[in-house]
Amino acid sequence: GAPGALAGLGALGAASDALAGLAARVSPAVVQVVGSGPPDPRRPADAGGPSGGALGSGFLVDPSGLVVTNAHVVRGATRLA
């Protein structure tokens, strides 16, 4: 192969290492969010996941426990876990 191709693999390896390091640092801040509430009549019975709720992910943005997630996870929820 051409020398330029090998140099590209070096840069790709460095980028991969940087992303792996970033993931290791932020993964403790990623959380699972379960919203529960009244059953949604539009939701098929065999859809899986929590009945009358939604399942999603979020991430901690504040040491007090403030979590950012998608609106569909919390919309209509009477309880979050």
Side-chain angles (χ1 to χ4, degrees), residues 5-24:
L6 294 177
L9 290 177
L12 181 61
S16 178
D17 290 345
L19 285 174
L22 176 63

Side-chain angles (χ1 to χ4, degrees), residues 7 12 15-17 21 28-29 31 43 48 51 53 56 58-59 62 67 70 78:
L12 181 61
S16 178
D17 290 345
V31 297
R43 186 174 181 270
S51 175
F59 56 95
D62 185 87
V67 173
N70 288 306
T78 55

